[in-house]
Amino acid sequence: MTAQIIDGKAFAARVRAKVASHVSRLKDDHGITPGLAVVLVGEDPASQVYVRSKGKMTTEVGMESFEHRLDADTSQEELLALVDRLNNDPTVHGILVQLPLPDHLNSELVINSIDPAKDVDGFHISNVGLLGTGQKSMVPCTPLGSLMMLRDHLGSLSGLEAVVIGRSNIVGKPMAQLLLGDSCTVTICHSRTKDLQEVVRRADIVVAAVGRPEMVPGSWIKPGATVIDVGINRVPNGEKTRLVGDCEFDSCAEVAGAITPVPGGVGPMTIACLLANTVTACCRANDLPEPEGLTA
Ligand code: NAD
């Protein structure tokens, strides 16, 4: 193996430490405690695990965590009323509605009812528009974490060829916007892209966000490229299962200059960036300087 492994777990711990030190300064100097409200509707086991771990990490960095667990049959009106209360609660600086929502609820409507200034997931249409026009916004956590790791590893990204595989609203598109913001030449690939490997082969930066286990082999990677593997795929492993990314780790690591592993790469950065966004939202709400290195 030749590639440097980008250790997302260690990087995320550094981001959380930075958040924690900013939180303690906000408390000591201004008497403000940043607060994150997480809303979970229903009993989806994976969502319950995420929400629990978000709550734990929120309190670990010294912020206030508000958990709202609602029954699966909660009506749209009840959910919108809760979001409205959180929008108007000055102790809440970030609001996250855990997706997916049960089928009878309109996710788009609910997300767009969150105050954009408290939209720490960065999914509100106003934040999407602000990011798309290069203005200050709340940035979706997974692409933000990926950008932080790229900047840390490469320094300036200016002029580099970046290929993003996947065009989802939560990863692919915002990732491409962020890379464009850092002056990369960006190509977005998707399920209809012709000759994907030819496009990937010219990339200095590859971000794979597809959800197809190990679809990118090392033979597609330009020697020395930086590979950010966002994919999280569970595959059979004897009697059990194991997690793999969208890139074939061993063969890509033979060719790439650096690569994020799965697990332990992009994954841990997502919650760290949620905490970073919450402290940023709190600073903006109070007209205080934003922490450096925690925004796009
Ligand atoms: P999605 O299903 O919304 O989008 C997948 C994208 O891949 C689509 O735009 C589609 O056009 C593209 N695609 C599908 N087949 C393709 C092919 N053969 N060639 C090229 N492109 C193809 O998925 P998503 O929500 O963007 O998530 C992508 C992956 O990232 C998933 O594995 C998901 O679990 C993972 N993910 C990880 C984190 C994290 O914290 N690390 C966060 C979000 C998503």
Side-chain angles (χ1 to χ4, degrees):
M1 188 199 311
T2 55
Q4 182 185 329
I5 308 301
I6 300 176
D7 184 347
K9 234 171 138 178
F11 198 110
R14 291 204 296 278
V15 171
R16 289 198 305 274
K18 235 189 231 183
V19 170
S21 105
H22 211 83
V23 168
S24 106
R25 231 171 307 145
L26 281 169
K27 284 183 182 172
D28 293 348
D29 298 351
H30 304 282
I32 299 167
T33 304
L36 172 64
V38 177
V39 180
L40 173 63
V41 186
E43 316 270 305
D44 179 60
S47 295
Q48 288 192 336
V49 173
Y50 291 139
V51 166
R52 207 173 309 129
S53 110
K54 282 168 187 169
K56 184 168 168 277
M57 293 204 180
T58 303
T59 50
E60 272 173 13
V61 295
M63 300 199 292
E64 199 75 63
S65 167
F66 306 100
E67 271 182 37
H68 295 269
R69 291 169 182 268
L70 306 181
D71 292 338
D73 61 0
T74 297
S75 71
Q76 179 92 2
E77 290 67 33
E78 285 169 310
L79 181 54
L80 290 175
L82 171 60
V83 171
D84 188 52
R85 271 209 315 282
L86 298 172
N87 282 341
N88 290 299
D89 183 341
T91 65
V92 171
H93 304 95
I95 303 170
L96 179 148
V97 176
Q98 184 67 45
L99 300 176
L101 288 171
D103 288 344
H104 68 282
L105 298 170
N106 180 340
S107 306
E108 209 171 297
L109 196 83
V110 172
I111 297 303
N112 287 326
S113 72
I114 297 172
D115 177 350
K118 296 188 178 188
D119 167 39
V120 281
D121 251 345
F123 296 160
H124 190 289
I125 195 71
S126 298
N127 282 316
V128 175
L130 289 167
L131 178 62
T133 49
Q135 299 179 71
K136 196 186 263 192
S137 64
M138 295 309 299
V139 177
C141 302
T142 301
L144 177 59
S146 303
L147 181 77
M148 284 182 187
M149 291 196 286
L150 282 168
R151 284 177 177 168
D152 183 68
H153 180 69
L154 292 168
S156 168
L157 309 187
S158 180
L160 296 179
E161 286 274 350
V163 170
V164 179
I165 318 175
R167 58 175 161 183
S168 72
N169 290 337
I170 63 165
V171 189
K173 282 182 198 152
M175 187 72 238
Q177 298 287 3
L178 289 172
L179 291 164
L180 199 56
D182 270 26
S183 301
C184 292
T185 301
V186 183
T187 307
I188 306 179
C189 299
H190 45 78
S191 52
R192 304 290 176 87
T193 297
K194 289 186 182 140
D195 211 350
L196 181 61
Q197 50 183 301
E198 258 332 286
V199 183
V200 172
R201 209 169 272 134
R202 62 171 190 248
D204 302 305
I205 294 170
V206 180
V207 180
V210 182
R212 289 172 73 103
E214 302 178 312
M215 73 167 273
V216 178
S219 58
W220 293 12
I221 303 294
K222 174 174 159 181
T226 305
V227 177
I228 303 291
D229 192 349
V230 180
I232 301 177
N233 309 290
R234 202 166 275 287
V235 296
N237 184 28
E239 300 277 281
K240 298 186 175 167
T241 59
R242 68 189 173 102
L243 291 183
V244 297
D246 290 342
C247 301
E248 205 179 77
F249 183 81
D250 289 343
S251 64
C252 288
E254 289 295 333
V255 192
I259 185 167
T260 57
V262 177
V266 176
M269 287 298 286
T270 299
I271 296 187
C273 286
L274 174 68
L275 305 176
N277 277 349
T278 305
V279 86
T280 298
C282 176
C283 292
R284 288 180 187 170
N286 289 285
D287 280 328
L288 292 168
E290 291 173 23
E292 270 178 38
L294 294 182
T295 46

